[in-house]
Each structure stands twice: as structure tokens, then as C-alpha cells.
Amino acid sequence: MNRKAAIVGGGVIGGGWAARFLLNGWDVSVADPDPEAARKIDAVLDRARRMLPMLYERAMPGEGRLTITDDLEGAVDGAAWVQESVPERIEIKRAVFSRIAAAVAPGVPVGSSTSGYKPSDLAEGLGAPGAQVMVAHPFVPVYLLPLVEVVGHPGSDPAVLDQAETVLRAIGMAPLRIRAEIDAHVADRFLEGVWREALWLVRDGIATTEEIDDAIRLGFGLRWAQMGLFETYRLGGGEGGMAQFVAQFAPALEWPWSRLTDVPTLDAELSAKIASQSDAQSGHLDPDQLARLRDDNLVSILRALKARGSAAGAVLATHEESLPDPATAEQAEGAPLITLERTVPIDWTDYNGHMNESRYGQVFSDAADGVMRRIGADAAYITDGLSYFTADIRIRFLAELHAGARIRVESQVLEGKGKKLRLFHRLLDAEGAEAATAEQFLLHVSLETRRSCVPREDVAARLEALAAAHAQLLAPDPAARLP
Amino acid sequence: MNRKAAIVGGGVIGGGWAARFLLNGWDVSVADPDPEAARKIDAVLDRARRMLPMLYERAMPGEGRLTITDDLEGAVDGAAWVQESVPERIEIKRAVFSRIAAAVAPGVPVGSSTSGYKPSDLAEGLGAPGAQVMVAHPFVPVYLLPLVEVVGHPGSDPAVLDQAETVLRAIGMAPLRIRAEIDAHVADRFLEGVWREALWLVRDGIATTEEIDDAIRLGFGLRWAQMGLFETYRLGGGEGGMAQFVAQFAPALEWPWSRLTDVPTLDAELSAKIASQSDAQSGHLDPDQLARLRDDNLVSILRALKARGSAAGAVLATHEESLPDPATAEQAEGAPLITLERTVPIDWTDYNGHMNESRYGQVFSDAADGVMRRIGADAAYITDGLSYFTADIRIRFLAELHAGARIRVESQVLEGKGKKLRLFHRLLDAEGAEAATAEQFLLHVSLETRRSCVPREDVAARLEALAAAHAQLLAPDPAARLP
């Protein structure tokens, strides 16, 4: 197969398609008469080049060749995929499709990015090439979100639809074959329902746009990112699964809850259909396994958002500030400093079923942050442009740790003078047994010059006092030290 | 404030509330006459005890004391928070609220978990304590999801509503004050709209429950987990923001898209209201910053799901398998093995604006996995119960790396005989400059006994051959070695 894609219509959607193909090694020809097309596509491409490769633990292939042209027929010539993303007006789409039909080779999938039209609306009057036309509806940002709704029409060639799935998977996307064409396909009908309800709520002064966003992203949005609607609700049915949930929920359809007044009847037939489809989907997991799956995913997503300080992650970060910080709490004199106390989260474990070795390094990095806070090299200090960077570390791994384990770190200052900070850490499990030790050598740096420099006087003084106190402690085992 | 909460009604919701309070150090008295109550609450608590502490980088406080009783008045006595979570039938709720009203102290918030009723329906006829009654509607799993819709009624005491927000924040939740009471508040109206549309789609054979879930979780569900509806759409308006998006979208409300036929008019007044609320919410970010925020969040969420192999993460994992693995590719003889080639993702960076030191450890851990795959100690080998565990590592940090940087690792086998594997890694940036080196000592282990043992014969043979070939290479700088 010739790995060339023709993207008809630039802009945010067309640019996203171009990025998907290019970054997966395809050549791309974008047909767009807009003189601004190159600038618009470049903007999307720049973002995609930065973000898409971050999703993978492997390198992506070399980028394909990009051409931008006003010659639609030339772009389509020799392409193994044609994607239309022109404005959402039927007369514009029809004009474009008749030109594509005249230029496209037999058997090549011709996708439309339309969010509203049915494929038969687009294939009408095209003759044989109409059998190659389908909806291939992506979601912004196209270069990151995997979903593509693939919708055929009664005249579609099934082999071309199959080929479309193959190509979409090859560029990292998830084709979802829709069983029958309807206006707006599937996902956008949900979006439209929520949008309409949201408009009522804003109009009636029940909630502002920001409050509505919070009502979504701090609650069910987190469930929908990983399970969607039915698998989440299945959990609500407990041992009885979806059948029980449907039975519980059916009366609510009679309630005057929303403005959405055309309500399907949840009769025995529909209830049975839902229950059996849900069994086929999730029946291999018992309620406990399903809840575990949900919770593991939620913890992982929430922690990802916390690291970014965004949405539900900002709520967590604020609450975390209210939890005691051992590193700055009062502690016994003449003992190593407790710099960290926490639980091993699920996202720290690996295929061996235990805490990944890199997370031992994370724990010691966080313990060094604890020493820094203790001596006043805190968040404000870092904002002021000063910090410590690790230059050298040796970690000895003594025992496995598993998700849910409560751990703590005791840290001893071995050297703390001028630019130098040398620490010895012991990672202890809940019973106080050593799971690892580390000797870590750090240098004080200016975040402006990125070079080493001496700490602020008060920080240096506190560090020297701590080093003097810790000099009284037992020295670490020489076999555990850096050379 | 007395840190005691009364939870009236056990079950999944009541148990989730109990867990939130207990794990944040509150004493909890659950009033439930069900003889199965203790078992049901324990099931929720067990999950919560495992999952909730994983959200934080600090330890949570000591757990409070849990009492389960059929004495509702005794549970409410002395409580600083009362939460009702009994079945969703108004006569049951009213009976419970009149008993709570007789026992609760003045000024104590009395929340209802109802997803449908208005607070005035619940406060009716309670006299003075009715001013303390509000909706405090959480989302399952209550012990993980932060959102609580807080809804007062015309007779509410504003001071009690404020106190409710304070308590909810103290237990790590995000109270969302709803401006006026309506049936089903805000979030459940959206859920209900999507549920009704989904029922039509299943009934009409357009999509199955699993396809509907995929249509959500592989696309807009990922956007909603972090931005919600309006902030996502604002991006669709580009430089023109929400005003432009609304103008574009208004005609679609006339389309026969969904079964949701009662449609608000997007007139000038409503359009202006939405645009100005959206400006207040997100106007401090220009479209480029907003897109960056969205993309950083999406990459972080998608990577979190990839690590779990779930939903959109499973799509990524499959695609990743199709990308070349340098460790198993043909490579030049007599050179160090290229074990890893990748991009530094956004979730690997820290407050210093560079790749966190622990991720250098991650890179070397992954490089060791590359050596393992090279010698046949691959995923199947691990499934068979054999693996290598790192026992000792020394990492020297030579240069900073930033998100988006393309990196590779070259690995040299220093020792590979019997149970022992000693590697020397060089982490190189895109220009080939050393960013770090590591000497890593691993032991071959049985995953059954968790003790060291010799590798399978074919793996041992491949390792010895590789070690022999690498013995010809330049030895690493002794100053970079383990002691």
C-alpha cells in the first residue's frame, strides 16, 4: 500500500488528521485553497509533534512528507486514504465529494469528518465511487484522542470499510463501526443532549458555565474517561448487574427531571437487550473486579491530574496541603529526620507486581525535598530561583514493596556545607524493616544560570546546624555508600 | 468542633461517606437497622482504605472510630455532620428527616445524598431544624470522586451552608454550591439526558452498550475528565472564544439530531450570558495556553490509562506494539546495544521544570528490560515466572532533560553469568551528548519464590554471548562505576 493520505480541507480537524498520518510515517497532501492553510496546519502540527510522541514508550517512525496544495485532484491522486474536512454545509461537501470521486482510485477509503451528516447524504449521485464514501468522524484534538466513528451506508463496499479500520488502527486510532447511519452518529448525540440541557441551566440561572464544567470534571467525567455509561451503571446494580440497575432506574424515566421529554419505554424487551449486551461486555468481571478496575483507573487518572494541578487534581493538591508534612513537623533531636510518610500508589507498580525500581528513586527524590523544606529551601525558595539538583545517587534494593504499603524515609545529612549536600536515606516499610538505602549527592543551583552556587545564608545556616546534629548519629554501612 | 459524623443509611453511598470521614480522622456512627449493614460498609471501607491514601504524597491521619448502630438518635447525638443516604423514596426520607430533626444540635449541617429530590421537599414540616437541611449529593465511588453538589432551599441558613462547605473541604471533597434548587440538581440532569439518548440507540440497534461506552471513553469522556463542556467548546471558538463557538453552533439546535426535542433558543441574551461566563472562567488563558493545558492533561490521563491497559490506554498499548523496538531490532555488531529510544513525556517533569531524577531511573529500568528482551527474557518469560530484579544501581546525572526531548540509551553488558547481570547504561540526548550514566546490578529471580535462581538455558546462553561480545568494548570510566 502506498502510504500517502489526501486531506481535503485544512483547519483544526484537517490539520489533526494530517498530523496523525505524518507522525505515523505517511506522506500527506493537504488540499486547501485558503492562503492561510499552511499557517493553520503548522499550528496544529507543532502541537501534535510535541504531544503525540509523548504517549508512547517507543520512538515513532520518521515523519512523512507534507505538501499543501490547492490542487484537490493532484492531492487525491495516488492516495491510499482520502479524508474530507471541509465546512459543515451540504452543498460544499457535495461539490468536494464529486471532485474526489472523479480522482480517487478504486478501493481507497474516502472518509468524511462530518459530525452531523449521514454518509448516504454524501455518497448520493457519485456512482461507483460512492461505495467508497463513509463517515470517519474524529474528535478534537484529533492527534491525541483515539476515537473515530466509522459509518457506512446501504451502498457501502464492506471491503472498503474493513480497509478503513486497518488504516485507522495503523495510525493509532480506534475505529468504532456504527451499525446504522443516523444524523450525528452516536457520540455527538450525547454531546448535543448535554449541551441543550446546559443551555437551559445557564439560561435559568441554576449554574454558570464554570459550575457546569465542575459538575462534569469533578464527578462523572472521571468515570466516563475510563468506563463510559453502561459499565459504570453496571456497578450500580451490584451482584444483579445491569438487569438490576435497569429495574431500579426505570421509574426515574417517568420523573420530570429534565427538559428532555421524549422518553423511551424501558419495557421488558429493551431491559433484556441492555442486560444481555452488558453481560457480553463486562460479564467476565464480577462486581468486585469491576470496582477494582474502576478504582485503579480513577486513582491513576486523579494522580495524573494532581501532578498537573488541574481540575480534580487541584482539589487533591489543596487537600494534600492540609495533611501533616513530617519533614517540617517537630521531631526528636538526635535522630535521623523523618522526611516522608506515605502509601505506595497503584501507578508506581510494574509488570513484576511490585513497586518499580524508579519509584525507589522517586521516594528518595521526595525525601531530599523534605530535607530542603526542613532547611527553608521550600516552594517559595524555588520560585525565587534557587534549588538543589541531584548529581549522583546510589540505591541498594533490599526488599519488594507493593501497592498500598505504608512507607517512610529517614534521612541523615552526611555533608552540608557550601554548595554540597550529601544525604543518606533509609526507606522503611510499615514494620520498620529496610526496603532500600540510598546515598544521594546534591548540588545547590541557580535556576537562572542552571549552574551551582552557594545557598541563601539562612538556608546554609540551618543546613550546617542539621549536619552538625546528624554527625552524632551512627555512620551508614560503608558497603552502602557511593564510591 | 467535635469531629463526629452521623451517617444515616449504610449501603454503597453511606459506606462511601463513612469512609471519607473515617479516613480523614473523624469518628463515624452509621445508623442502619439492616443486619447486613456492617458487612456492606466493611466492603466499601476495605476498598476505600486501599485506594484513598494512594491519592496523596503524604500520609493521611489516623483512622477515626466506627460505630454501627440501629439507634438513629444516638448516632446523631453530638455529631458535627449528619448525612442521610436512605433509599430514594420520599416517604422513607421524610420519616428519617423528622427523627434527625428531633435529635440534631443547632447549626449542624444535615445533608441528603438524594440525586433527585429538592431540599425543600426534604425540609418541609421540620420547623427550625429544616434550615439545617440541604442536599449534599456525592458521586460513586464517594471515597474517590471529589464532587458534592450542595443545594440549599429558600429557608436554608446560609451559615450552615458555609459550614457544610468547610467540612466537605476538610475531608478532601469539592463542594459545588448550586444556585437554585431543581429536581436532580445539575450533574444528574446530564446523566439522565445521555441515559435516555443511549436507551434509544440500544433500542433502535444503532449501537450496543459496549459500543456506546467506547463512543464515550475513547473520545469526549477524556475531555470531560479535565475540562468539562464549556471550556472544551471554548477552544472550538479559537481566537473568538465562546462567543464565536456559540454563533457557529446555534443553527445546529434546529437540526433533528436527537430525540431531545425541547430546545432552548440561543438568542442574543443567552449567547452573551454564556460568552461572559466563559470569559470569567477561562479568559485568563489565550487559545494557545488553553490548548496546551488540554493537551498536557490528555497526555497525562492517556498515559495513566496506558499503564493500566484500560479503555483508551489499551488502544495506545496496541499501537505501541506496532512501533519498532530497538532492543530486538538488528543492530551493529561490536557496538553497545541500543535498548531504548523515546520522547520525554510531560508527566516525567517536576517543579524544577526538567525530567525528575526518578525518571532517569525509569529510563535505565526500561533499558534493562530492553537487554532482557534481547536475550529472550521477554513478557512470556515473565509470565512463566522468571525475571530479573535490580539489586543495586548508581546513577550520575550529567545534564538536564526537558519534556519533548528525544532520548536513547546505549547499554553494555559488563557481567552476565549465572544469576548475575551487570549493565552499564549511557543516556544520550538527540545530539548524542551524555545526560546520565548508570551502572546497574541485577539478579535473576523466580517470581514464585521471590528468590534468586539461574536463568533458563537459552537465556543464559544468549546473555553469555552478548557479554562476550561486549567485553571487546571500551570499559566505562571507573569514576562512574558502583563501588
Side-chain angles (χ1 to χ4, degrees):
Chain A
M1 183 176 60
N2 180 8
R3 297 208 308 162
K4 174 193 171 184
I7 307 297
V8 181
V12 170
I13 310 287
W17 277 111
R20 272 276 180 198
F21 279 104
L22 280 169
L23 293 174
N24 279 284
W26 284 53
D27 293 331
V28 169
S29 191
V30 178
D32 196 323
D34 180 358
E36 292 290 288
R39 188 184 59 78
K40 289 179 184 170
I41 288 163
D42 270 355
V44 180
L45 255 180
D46 281 350
R47 269 204 281 277
R49 282 194 188 106
R50 177 175 165 81
M51 304 310 295
L52 182 57
M54 289 189 189
L55 292 180
Y56 301 105
E57 319 305 316
R58 296 185 187 175
M60 299 191 73
E63 199 172 312
R65 207 163 52 91
L66 172 66
T67 321
I68 299 174
T69 174
D70 56 5
D71 172 15
L72 185 149
E73 287 75 10
V76 170
D77 183 50
W81 183 278
V82 181
Q83 183 69 28
E84 168 277 314
S85 309
V86 302
E88 204 73 352
R89 282 165 50 197
I90 191 69
E91 68 280 10
I92 300 180
K93 298 226 184 244
R94 287 224 172 106
V96 159
F97 273 101
S98 69
R99 289 179 64 188
I100 293 172
V104 70
V108 169
V110 179
S112 169
S113 301
T114 181
S115 57
Y117 296 115
K118 292 185 285 201
S120 58
D121 295 338
L122 305 170
E124 202 183 306
L126 296 184
Q132 294 166 238
V133 170
M134 67 191 69
V135 166
H137 175 235
F139 293 78
V140 175
V142 180
Y143 52 85
L144 288 180
L145 294 182
L147 182 65
V148 186
E149 292 175 316
V150 174
V151 195
H153 58 87
S156 285
D157 178 348
V160 177
L161 288 167
D162 290 346
Q163 169 64 8
E165 288 201 37
T166 303
V167 170
L168 291 170
R169 284 189 217 284
I171 58 169
M173 302 185 85
L176 178 67
R177 201 85 153 240
I178 307 297
R179 290 160 187 263
E181 56 169 359
I182 52 172
D183 294 309
H185 334 311
V186 169
D188 271 37
R189 296 175 76 95
F190 300 141
L191 292 173
E192 183 70 10
V194 171
W195 170 247
R196 291 177 184 195
E197 190 72 24
L199 293 181
W200 284 119
L201 292 170
V202 170
R203 196 199 72 150
D204 297 347
I206 308 297
T208 66
T209 59
E210 181 163 16
E211 289 157 3
I212 287 170
D213 281 353
D214 282 342
I216 295 171
R217 66 187 161 196
L218 303 181
F220 71 85
L222 295 160
R223 299 195 301 224
W224 284 10
Q226 37 127 2
M227 282 200 162
L229 183 74
F230 285 98
E231 196 161 65
T232 300
Y233 282 166
R234 183 183 179 87
L235 265 166
E239 297 287 343
M242 202 67 207
Q244 185 171 328
F245 179 83
V246 168
Q248 278 170 14
F249 225 82
L253 290 173
E254 307 295 323
W255 294 5
W257 268 10
S258 79
R259 304 277 191 160
L260 319 173
T261 47
D262 188 11
V263 175
T265 307
L266 245 179
D267 54 18
E269 192 188 348
L270 180 51
S271 298
K273 191 173 183 182
I274 291 171
S276 77
Q277 287 183 358
S278 174
D279 286 347
Q281 174 183 359
S282 322
H284 60 291
L285 298 171
D286 70 28
D288 206 57
Q289 292 170 312
L290 206 54
R292 174 69 76 99
L293 174 69
R294 176 198 63 192
D295 289 359
D296 285 356
N297 286 340
L298 281 178
V299 164
S300 300
I301 291 173
L302 285 165
R303 288 181 53 79
L305 287 170
K306 178 152 74 82
R308 306 246 60 75
S310 215
V315 176
L316 292 177
T318 303
H319 186 47
E320 187 167 270
E321 285 292 318
S322 77
L323 300 174
D325 174 10
T328 55
E330 202 171 319
Q331 294 198 17
E333 291 282 335
L337 197 62
I338 300 170
T339 41
L340 175 144
E341 274 184 313
R342 60 167 300 146
T343 295
V344 176
I346 190 80
D347 57 310
W348 283 19
T349 57
D350 66 18
Y351 61 80
N352 281 317
H354 60 206
M355 186 164 104
N356 180 263
E357 63 178 283
S358 69
R359 298 305 186 161
Y360 288 77
Q362 172 94 53
V363 163
F364 296 127
S365 170
D366 293 346
D369 288 349
V371 173
M372 285 172 61
R373 287 195 301 279
R374 186 78 179 185
I375 58 175
D378 54 9
Y381 188 79
I382 292 159
T383 305
D384 282 352
L386 296 169
S387 190
Y388 280 94
F389 285 179
T390 299
D392 207 348
I393 193 165
R394 179 188 177 192
I395 304 174
R396 284 190 322 156
F397 304 86
L398 305 173
E400 296 178 79
L401 289 167
H402 295 93
R406 177 77 169 246
I407 54 173
R408 74 171 195 279
V409 175
E410 295 182 356
S411 302
Q412 180 175 356
V413 179
L414 299 179
E415 180 182 5
K417 205 163 173 61
K419 307 168 182 178
K420 292 183 180 176
L421 174 58
R422 186 178 296 272
L423 301 172
F424 192 82
H425 306 288
R426 286 182 180 84
L427 169 57
L428 306 172
D429 69 15
E431 280 72 45
E434 274 187 1
T437 66
E439 180 173 334
Q440 183 183 22
F441 177 68
L442 303 98
L443 284 171
H444 188 273
V445 293
S446 154
L447 293 174
E448 197 181 325
T449 64
R450 313 307 274 194
R451 291 172 182 280
S452 63
C453 67
V454 293
R456 207 171 61 194
E457 256 177 55
D458 60 315
V459 168
R462 274 186 226 104
L463 176 57
E464 281 179 40
L466 191 60
H470 282 191
Q472 317 302 318
L473 299 173
L474 219 60
D477 178 0
R481 302 282 311 263
L482 275 168
Chain B
M1 183 176 61
N2 181 8
R3 297 208 306 164
K4 176 194 169 186
I7 307 297
V8 181
V12 171
I13 311 285
W17 277 109
R20 273 275 181 198
F21 279 104
L22 281 168
L23 293 175
N24 279 284
W26 284 54
D27 293 330
V28 169
S29 191
V30 177
D32 197 324
D34 180 359
E36 292 289 287
R39 188 186 59 79
K40 290 180 185 168
I41 289 162
D42 270 355
V44 180
L45 255 179
D46 281 350
R47 270 204 281 275
R49 281 193 189 106
R50 177 174 163 83
M51 304 310 296
L52 181 57
M54 289 188 188
L55 292 180
Y56 301 105
E57 319 305 316
R58 296 185 186 176
M60 299 192 72
E63 198 173 313
R65 205 164 54 89
L66 171 66
T67 320
I68 300 174
T69 174
D70 56 4
D71 171 15
L72 185 150
E73 287 75 10
V76 170
D77 182 49
W81 182 278
V82 181
Q83 184 70 27
E84 168 276 314
S85 308
V86 301
E88 205 75 349
R89 283 166 49 200
I90 191 68
E91 68 281 10
I92 301 180
K93 298 229 185 241
R94 286 223 172 108
V96 159
F97 273 102
S98 70
R99 289 179 65 189
I100 293 172
V104 70
V108 169
V110 178
S112 170
S113 301
T114 181
S115 57
Y117 297 115
K118 293 184 286 200
S120 58
D121 295 337
L122 306 169
E124 200 184 307
L126 295 183
Q132 294 164 240
V133 170
M134 68 191 69
V135 166
H137 176 235
F139 292 77
V140 174
V142 179
Y143 51 86
L144 288 180
L145 294 182
L147 182 65
V148 186
E149 291 176 316
V150 174
V151 195
H153 56 87
S156 285
D157 178 347
V160 177
L161 288 167
D162 290 345
Q163 170 63 9
E165 288 201 38
T166 303
V167 170
L168 292 169
R169 284 190 217 284
I171 59 169
M173 302 184 86
L176 178 67
R177 203 84 152 239
I178 307 298
R179 290 162 187 261
E181 56 170 358
I182 53 172
D183 293 310
H185 333 311
V186 169
D188 271 37
R189 297 175 77 94
F190 300 141
L191 292 174
E192 184 70 10
V194 171
W195 171 245
R196 291 177 185 197
E197 190 74 23
L199 293 181
W200 285 120
L201 293 170
V202 170
R203 198 199 68 149
D204 297 347
I206 308 297
T208 66
T209 59
E210 182 163 16
E211 289 158 2
I212 286 170
D213 283 353
D214 282 343
I216 295 171
R217 65 189 161 194
L218 303 181
F220 72 86
L222 295 161
R223 299 195 302 223
W224 284 10
Q226 37 125 3
M227 280 198 165
L229 184 74
F230 285 98
E231 196 161 66
T232 301
Y233 282 166
R234 183 184 178 86
L235 265 164
E239 297 285 345
M242 202 65 209
Q244 185 171 328
F245 179 82
V246 167
Q248 278 170 13
F249 224 83
L253 289 173
E254 307 295 324
W255 294 5
W257 267 10
S258 79
R259 301 278 192 161
L260 319 174
T261 46
D262 188 11
V263 175
T265 308
L266 245 179
D267 54 18
E269 193 187 348
L270 179 51
S271 298
K273 191 173 182 179
I274 292 170
S276 78
Q277 287 182 358
S278 174
D279 286 347
Q281 173 183 358
S282 320
H284 59 292
L285 298 171
D286 69 30
D288 206 57
Q289 292 170 313
L290 207 54
R292 174 69 76 99
L293 174 69
R294 175 198 64 191
D295 288 359
D296 286 355
N297 286 340
L298 282 177
V299 165
S300 299
I301 291 174
L302 285 165
R303 288 180 53 78
L305 288 170
K306 178 152 73 84
R308 305 246 60 75
S310 217
V315 175
L316 292 177
T318 303
H319 186 48
E320 188 167 271
E321 285 294 316
S322 78
L323 299 174
D325 175 10
T328 56
E330 202 171 321
Q331 295 197 15
E333 291 280 334
L337 198 63
I338 298 170
T339 41
L340 176 144
E341 273 184 313
R342 60 167 301 145
T343 294
V344 175
I346 189 80
D347 57 312
W348 283 19
T349 57
D350 65 18
Y351 61 81
N352 281 318
H354 60 205
M355 185 164 103
N356 181 263
E357 64 178 281
S358 69
R359 299 305 187 161
Y360 288 77
Q362 172 94 54
V363 163
F364 295 127
S365 170
D366 293 346
D369 288 349
V371 173
M372 286 172 60
R373 287 194 302 279
R374 185 79 180 183
I375 59 174
D378 53 10
Y381 189 79
I382 292 161
T383 305
D384 283 352
L386 297 169
S387 191
Y388 280 94
F389 285 180
T390 299
D392 208 348
I393 194 166
R394 180 189 176 190
I395 304 173
R396 283 190 322 156
F397 302 87
L398 304 173
E400 297 179 78
L401 289 167
H402 295 92
R406 178 78 170 244
I407 55 174
R408 76 171 195 277
V409 175
E410 294 182 356
S411 303
Q412 180 176 356
V413 179
L414 300 180
E415 181 182 4
K417 206 163 171 58
K419 307 169 183 177
K420 291 183 181 176
L421 175 57
R422 188 178 296 273
L423 301 173
F424 192 83
H425 306 287
R426 289 183 179 82
L427 169 58
L428 307 171
D429 68 17
E431 280 72 46
E434 276 188 358
T437 68
E439 180 173 334
Q440 182 183 23
F441 177 69
L442 303 97
L443 283 171
H444 188 272
V445 293
S446 154
L447 293 174
E448 199 182 322
T449 65
R450 314 307 275 191
R451 290 172 184 280
S452 63
C453 68
V454 292
R456 209 171 59 194
E457 256 176 53
D458 60 314
V459 168
R462 274 186 225 104
L463 176 57
E464 281 177 40
L466 191 61
H470 281 192
Q472 318 302 320
L473 298 174
L474 218 60
D477 179 359
R481 302 282 311 263
L482 276 168

